[in-house]
Amino acid sequence: MSDDPVTARLMRRALPVVTALASLLLVVTLAGALYLGRDILVPVALAILLSFVLLPAVRALRRLRVPRAAAVLVVVLLAFGILVAVGGLIAREAAQLATDLPRYSITLRDKITALRAATAERGGLSDSFSGFFDMAEEIGKELQPPAPETTADARLGTAERPMQVEIHAPRSGLLKTLGSVAGGVLHPLATFGLILLFTIFILLQREDLRNRAIRLAGSSDLRRTTAAIDDATGRLSRLFLAQLALNFAFGLVIGVGLWAIGVPSPILFGVIAGISRFVPYVGAVISAVLPLAIAVAVDPGWSMAIQVAILFVVVEPIAGHVVEPLLYGHSTGISPMAVILAATIWTFLWGPIGLLLATPLTVCLVVLGRHVERLWFLDVILGDRPALGPQEIFYQRMLAGDPAEAIEQGRLFLKERALVTYYDEVVLASLRMAQEDAARGTLDRARQGQVGASVRVVVETLGQVRARGLPFLGRRQKTASAEAEAAFAAVGPDRSTAAIVLRPDDLAPGWRGATPVLCVTSGGAFDEAATLMLAQTLTRHGLAARAVSQEALRALSPEERPALICFSYLDPISLSQIRLTLRRARQAVPGVSVMVGFWRERDPASLGRLRRQIAADRLVTSLGDALGAALEQARAAPEPMRRAAE
């Protein structure tokens, strides 16, 4: 950085632009390297993915005391033998289908003629489908075998028709012919050999490659980095094996179904269906096009085509929405937008192979982003987990004036967790963020009032949600919201007090009045919402509470004497003002127990100092602490009487 203040200021202003240009240059460079080096990188990528699939089999042989080299060679050669057999099967079935296609051209042309006549009767439909019908007729003509020419016709054609002249290119030399043939054969063989070689090397040198990855990722914490990479490797292996098994089963079911329907070459279409399903979203649809076309061409009617369509419509949803979630969850950990974007980019870079590899490669990137600190941005860009924490999401919705969406997410949260947990870990945390913005001057009074009003709407609505029976005893159900799942993971389990509800018989005599607890707000922009949450929490657990202002507290009648007064503070306030407020409360209600909630202070040493300075009976920093302290005071017996909230 320059010593000149003007130059330094200009450099600071230009730094974001330079960073953006450098990032763009890096992305372009990586894309160019991937595109130009695809002949080498594609075999490497395929070998890495195959190593993830074959690793469990190698480990199983190693547990049987088979030497590493022998285990790797046996597994790899067996896997590649299966791939060669499948490739030969596809080639044989495709050749047979190509031989049989001309026989189906007559049926196809008859159907096209019937469809053209049917649409002609409906007027405008004929013009709309005329191009399609013409194309289909041309295809039928191309497929139709040429009529055999008799000897008489040949002599007649020779006498009456003009001589046909054909121009042929000069015959190539032997070396040129061998070169062209070898180029078409050797390139796939070379790619196949590279994949085989890389797969064997990766499986043999797995530990060494892992150690190098640890060094690149940062070896300051070897235990954590090693555990992260081993966990990522295990997760990817399980994911790819599950995906391979599911797609194999999908292709098998499709092949058997097509065979039962009577579609020619069912093995070919079953293999294509299993392979195409690796393509996200559209793979199954693509694999259904060719069997449908063949069914239309083979069957004089439409029953075969309808049965094929029903087969795919039934099998794909079962595989995608029933079996797939049972095997590896509702998703692969990638956001739907990232899946589409990755498929587009990898197809552009590596062609059809890139389309098949798009999802596995993107899964690898997401796992790296979740386990390697330096690559965290990959998880943010490509992962399906929310980019913001539950507190940040809630605060953003309050800033946007959208309490309805926050209420919906809160309802999902309350199906699995306690209301006090949601208030403590999400709503109060977002209020603290709002208070920090207000203290910095980035949130004016109008916006503060808007945020406070939105939070009160959420709190008032969620307070009316009925708690589920036995909701906090470890039962776990998958929700439909990724945000709710992320919130469950972020906040952790409920406290034990979240399951306690005191009945009137459980309360001490002084706590059996109409409103034994008064929750007093300090009057700040966000304190009213915090006080309302406190009152709701206590009431929900059997301690009738009411939120009041400090002015209402001074006007209490003797009949309204509470057993506990809770003061709620979110805004910063002087300790002398707090001491004055507590002294007035004790003068208004002699002998009352006083609790002070500082919803921002967390340091134990500071809490002890504050407790001594303000002379409160209880000092708490969370709604859960306030609930526990109030329940302890309110019980009539020393042993707690617990029952689940109903």
Side-chain angles (χ1 to χ4, degrees):
M1 188 69 68
S2 175
D3 295 333
D4 183 13
V6 177
T7 304
R9 184 171 63 255
L10 292 176
M11 292 179 65
R12 284 194 299 270
R13 291 179 179 178
L15 184 60
V17 178
V18 174
T19 304
L21 291 177
S23 302
L24 179 61
L25 180 61
L26 178 62
V27 171
V28 172
T29 303
L30 289 176
L34 289 172
Y35 180 77
L36 296 176
R38 59 187 180 275
D39 290 338
I40 298 296
L41 296 177
V42 168
V44 172
L46 287 171
I48 292 174
L49 297 179
L50 277 175
S51 68
F52 281 123
V53 174
L54 301 180
L55 181 59
V58 174
R59 286 177 172 172
L61 290 180
R62 292 285 294 151
R63 286 194 292 269
L64 297 176
R65 301 185 182 276
V66 178
R68 175 185 292 274
V72 170
L73 288 177
V74 168
V75 171
V76 171
L77 292 179
L78 180 61
F80 276 80
I82 294 175
L83 291 177
V84 171
V86 172
L89 181 63
I90 292 175
R92 181 174 63 82
E93 290 292 323
Q96 182 63 38
L97 180 63
T99 304
D100 296 338
L101 279 178
R103 296 192 290 113
Y104 308 140
S105 60
I106 298 176
T107 303
L108 182 61
R109 294 181 64 183
D110 291 342
K111 283 190 175 181
I112 293 170
T113 302
L115 286 175
R116 186 189 292 274
T119 54
E121 297 177 358
R122 298 180 177 270
L125 290 177
S126 179
D127 298 334
S128 303
F129 291 97
S130 59
F132 169 76
F133 290 143
D134 294 339
M135 180 185 66
E137 283 188 349
E138 290 297 328
I139 294 175
K141 290 178 181 178
E142 291 293 332
L143 294 177
Q144 189 173 8
E149 188 178 39
T150 61
T151 306
D153 293 337
R155 289 196 299 269
L156 181 60
T158 304
E160 297 182 358
R161 289 182 298 184
M163 181 180 297
Q164 295 182 355
V165 178
E166 297 181 359
I167 301 177
H168 296 275
R171 298 183 62 182
S172 302
L174 178 61
L175 292 179
K176 188 175 182 180
T177 302
L178 289 177
S180 61
V181 173
V185 174
L186 291 180
H187 185 270
L189 290 178
T191 302
F192 188 82
L194 284 175
I195 296 173
L196 177 63
L197 181 64
F198 281 128
T199 304
I200 294 175
F201 174 77
I202 290 172
L203 290 174
L204 286 175
Q205 302 292 326
R206 188 179 69 87
E207 286 78 10
D208 180 66
L209 294 175
R210 181 197 62 192
N211 296 338
R212 296 178 186 275
I214 291 173
R215 172 62 63 183
L216 292 174
S219 57
S220 58
D221 189 351
L222 288 176
R223 182 197 60 78
R224 179 180 177 184
T225 307
T226 302
I229 291 181
D230 288 342
D231 178 63
T233 303
R235 286 176 182 271
L236 287 173
S237 296
R238 290 191 296 270
L239 171 65
F240 295 150
L241 276 175
Q243 197 171 22
L244 181 65
L246 175 60
N247 293 347
F248 172 79
F250 177 79
L252 180 64
V253 172
I254 292 296
V256 172
L258 294 177
W259 171 78
I261 294 172
V263 178
S265 302
I267 298 177
L268 173 64
F269 297 137
V271 173
I272 292 176
I275 296 175
S276 299
R277 205 178 180 280
F278 284 99
V279 180
Y281 297 118
V282 298
V285 177
I286 294 174
S287 65
V289 173
L290 192 55
L292 276 174
I294 296 299
V296 171
V298 170
D299 186 16
W302 295 97
S303 60
M304 183 179 291
I306 294 174
Q307 293 176 41
V308 171
I310 292 175
L311 176 66
F312 278 90
V313 168
V314 171
V315 174
E316 168 54 24
I318 293 176
H321 300 288
V322 178
V323 181
E324 194 171 69
L326 294 176
L327 286 179
Y328 49 88
H330 286 278
S331 69
T332 57
I334 316 174
S335 67
M337 182 59 68
V339 170
I340 298 173
L341 180 63
T344 304
I345 293 176
W346 287 110
T347 303
F348 172 76
L349 294 175
W350 290 353
I353 295 294
L355 181 61
L356 291 176
L357 295 178
T359 299
L361 289 176
T362 309
V363 169
C364 293
L365 294 178
V366 170
V367 171
L368 288 175
R370 291 182 180 177
H371 291 82
V372 180
E373 186 176 354
R374 295 180 181 178
L375 302 177
W376 62 270
F377 61 91
L378 293 175
D379 185 27
V380 175
I381 296 173
L382 303 174
D384 61 350
R385 298 190 300 187
L388 300 176
Q391 305 90 346
E392 296 168 322
I393 294 174
F394 187 92
Y395 181 39
Q396 185 274 331
R397 286 170 178 157
M398 297 303 99
L399 288 172
D402 185 16
E405 190 173 353
I407 290 171
E408 180 61 28
Q409 294 301 321
R411 291 180 185 274
L412 292 176
F413 187 93
L414 295 183
K415 292 181 178 179
E416 304 290 341
R417 295 287 190 272
L419 181 65
V420 62
T421 305
Y422 184 72
Y423 281 167
D424 259 336
E425 302 295 338
V426 178
V427 184
L428 264 184
S430 68
L431 286 178
R432 285 192 287 268
M433 296 172 61
Q435 183 58 49
E436 291 173 0
D437 286 346
R440 287 194 300 264
T442 58
L443 200 65
D444 57 31
R445 289 195 173 275
R447 295 298 300 277
Q448 293 178 33
Q450 175 188 342
V451 171
S454 297
V455 174
R456 287 194 298 274
V457 170
V458 174
V459 172
E460 290 170 357
T461 305
L462 294 182
Q464 300 173 4
V465 176
R466 181 183 175 89
R468 295 177 58 189
L470 300 176
F472 318 125
L473 300 181
R475 294 188 307 173
R476 188 71 181 87
Q477 296 179 356
K478 190 76 172 177
T479 68
S481 171
E483 291 184 13
E485 291 295 326
F488 295 146
V491 304
D494 299 318
R495 297 187 181 187
S496 59
T497 53
I500 299 176
V501 176
L502 297 182
R503 296 169 296 183
D505 295 340
D506 302 330
L507 299 175
W511 289 76
R512 297 177 182 177
T515 310
V517 182
L518 291 181
C519 301
V520 184
T521 177
S522 64
F526 310 118
D527 276 303
E528 185 177 348
T531 308
L532 181 59
M533 286 188 287
L534 176 60
Q536 278 189 6
T537 300
L538 297 177
T539 302
R540 198 178 186 90
H541 291 266
L543 306 176
R546 179 163 56 98
V548 298
S549 64
Q550 294 187 10
E551 291 75 13
L553 179 63
R554 300 190 190 102
L556 284 177
S557 63
E559 293 78 10
E560 297 176 315
R561 174 187 172 89
L564 175 66
I565 298 179
C566 301
F567 290 93
S568 172
Y569 293 99
L570 186 66
D571 290 337
I573 192 170
S574 65
L575 295 182
S576 59
Q577 181 65 38
I578 296 177
R579 287 195 297 267
L580 177 61
T581 302
L582 267 61
R583 187 163 55 249
R584 289 177 176 175
R586 288 194 169 103
Q587 291 174 356
V589 188
V592 71
S593 179
V594 176
M595 179 190 297
V596 176
F598 283 113
W599 311 126
R600 300 178 56 80
E601 190 62 56
R602 297 285 181 174
D603 182 29
S606 299
L607 287 177
R609 177 175 52 84
L610 286 173
R611 185 178 294 108
R612 290 190 299 269
Q613 290 179 350
I614 64 176
D617 297 310
R618 293 296 182 109
L619 184 63
V620 295
T621 59
S622 68
L623 298 179
D625 292 340
L627 174 62
L631 289 174
E632 183 180 352
Q633 285 186 273
R635 292 191 186 103
E639 290 297 327
M641 300 180 65
R642 301 186 180 184
R643 64 185 180 91
E646 296 181 356

